[in-house]
Amino acid sequence: DTGVSQDPRHKITKRGQNVTFRCDPISEHNRLYWYRQTLGQGPEFLTYFQNEAQLEKSRLLSDRFSAERPKGSFSTLEIQRTEQGDSAMYLCASSKRAGVRSGELFFGEGSRLTVL
Amino acid sequence: GESVGLHLPTLSVQEGDNSIINCAYSNSASDYFIWYKQESGKGPQFIIDIRSNMDKRQGQRVTVLLNKTVKHLSLQIAATQPGDSAVYFCAENMATIQGAQKLVFGQGTRLTINP
């Protein structure tokens, strides 16, 4: 399978715990995105990497959230001191250089977080 | 603030019929729009895009229409099939100077194809 892979698919945690999600993008894609999707809503942009550089961060990304892409390949999204409001689907997407069909992001199946 | 929204949250059509999903946007400066399909338990999947210098674009069984005068776009799906059942999102692409394709998604319309 050559699509975007995310792990774990589901995570249940207690409030105050830390969680980490991993994303493996399509291998030739140098652009990587994290989005968050709550039930019944469309995805919301969180952050963007071009290779290993984090170039964009949404105001939604509080200081409890940190994302990395250390070697320009896989990425991790860590949430510290989770809150119930963090419960959502965390989607990773990747894309090639911008150009024709520049809005075509390839999404993974997401990591669903439930904070009790 | 600027937003992308949908008129109807749910739509049911008979298999084989055509379906139309509507979307309104408020940012008159928007110049690039995309439709995504999201099946249950999966991430969104690109369907078709359109730039503001066009008013119509066709793909395989899908057509997107853009009316910039009223800030409205629609997705037409011809000869619907059971596999078309999904949530459909329109998205406005707000490309940034850093090169990010920052998609602003609407709420979504759930399309159900009845046999």
Side-chain angles (χ1 to χ4, degrees):
Chain A
D1 183 66
T2 58
V4 176
S5 176
Q6 292 189 245
D7 182 72
R9 292 292 311 280
H10 304 275
K11 178 71 177 179
I12 300 174
T13 190
K14 293 182 179 179
R15 186 165 53 94
Q17 298 295 304
N18 300 342
V19 296
T20 300
F21 301 116
R22 176 181 169 120
C23 171
D24 287 89
I26 294 172
S27 59
E28 64 266 29
H29 289 181
N30 65 333
R31 296 169 178 230
L32 186 145
Y33 302 80
W34 285 98
Y35 280 78
R36 180 173 68 187
Q37 184 175 27
T38 54
L39 199 62
Q41 301 296 318
E44 297 174 295
F45 172 84
L46 291 179
T47 191
Y48 160 69
F49 289 85
Q50 187 171 326
N51 300 310
E52 67 277 4
Q54 186 176 21
L55 299 183
E56 292 278 348
K57 290 172 64 175
S58 166
R59 287 170 295 182
L60 294 174
L61 215 64
S62 76
D63 57 6
R64 296 185 297 105
F65 288 70
S66 62
E68 295 182 341
R69 194 183 184 196
K71 298 181 179 179
S73 56
F74 74 92
S75 174
T76 58
L77 176 68
E78 181 183 15
I79 309 173
Q80 295 182 325
R81 305 180 302 283
T82 52
E83 302 173 357
Q84 289 185 328
D86 296 331
S87 295
M89 177 75 82
Y90 290 86
L91 291 163
C92 178
S94 67
S95 71
K96 299 179 183 180
R97 271 177 20 162
V100 174
R101 285 171 60 138
S102 59
E104 183 176 13
L105 305 187
F106 293 81
F107 284 87
E109 296 190 334
S111 293
R112 180 170 295 283
L113 173 66
T114 301
V115 181
L116 302 177
Chain B
E2 306 295 353
S3 64
V4 178
L6 297 180
H7 292 305
L8 294 173
T10 61
L11 178 65
S12 293
V13 299
Q14 291 297 122
E15 182 178 351
D17 287 352
N18 300 334
S19 66
I20 300 175
I21 300 171
N22 296 304
C23 179
Y25 64 94
S26 57
N27 184 357
S28 56
S30 297
D31 63 359
Y32 182 39
F33 303 90
I34 311 102
W35 282 97
Y36 275 83
K37 171 187 180 182
Q38 187 171 27
E39 297 176 82
S40 180
K42 296 187 177 181
Q45 179 182 12
F46 176 97
I47 302 173
I48 192 168
D49 58 359
I50 188 167
R51 297 195 178 273
S52 60
N53 61 352
M54 305 173 69
D55 53 20
K56 180 179 180 179
R57 190 148 189 246
Q58 288 184 290
Q60 186 175 11
R61 287 199 304 115
V62 295
T63 300
V64 55
L65 300 178
L66 176 61
N67 185 330
K68 295 180 286 295
T69 302
V70 296
K71 291 184 284 187
H72 179 272
L73 67 160
S74 65
L75 177 71
Q76 301 178 1
I77 305 174
T80 52
Q81 304 168 357
D84 294 330
S85 293
V87 177
Y88 290 81
F89 294 98
C90 64
E92 171 188 6
N93 189 26
M94 301 178 67
T96 71
I97 58 173
Q98 299 288 359
Q101 305 303 316
K102 191 182 296 186
L103 303 181
V104 177
F105 286 84
Q107 184 178 13
T109 293
R110 178 174 298 281
L111 175 65
T112 301
I113 308 302
N114 300 314

